[in-house]
Amino acid sequence: DIFELLRIQDECVVLFQLALPYMEKAHAQDPERVETLKGMMAIHRALSNRAISDQFRTQLRDILGEE
């Protein structure tokens, strides 16, 4: 039901918030690593930080040579 979905969504937000500092450290160590950029993009999107997610998407496209 809808309440179960909301509960799961809230749990996911907490997990993404817990993962973010570790992903930020990984990104600081290697700012061009594709897997880390994908992770940062996904986490920020999940946390409704669309502008930040889009910045990581742009950076990823630049590294991969995509338009």
Side-chain angles (χ1 to χ4, degrees):
D1 67 348
I2 188 71
F3 295 108
E4 180 67 13
L5 290 174
L6 291 172
R7 184 188 65 75
I8 292 169
Q9 183 178 7
D10 289 344
E11 287 179 18
C12 289
V13 167
V14 169
L15 293 173
F16 281 124
Q17 288 170 333
L18 290 171
L20 184 57
Y22 298 100
M23 189 62 73
E24 289 173 333
K25 287 181 184 180
H27 178 65
Q29 290 177 356
D30 188 356
E32 294 189 355
R33 185 165 189 228
V34 171
E35 294 82 5
T36 306
L37 290 170
K38 287 179 181 178
M40 291 290 284
M41 184 178 68
I43 288 173
H44 281 289
R45 184 167 185 141
L47 295 175
S48 299
N49 298 328
R50 182 70 179 230
I52 297 171
S53 177
D54 288 346
Q55 290 173 354
F56 284 108
R57 178 180 296 133
T58 299
Q59 187 178 356
L60 182 60
R61 285 181 183 164
D62 290 346
I63 289 169
L64 295 176
E66 297 176 358
E67 292 184 24

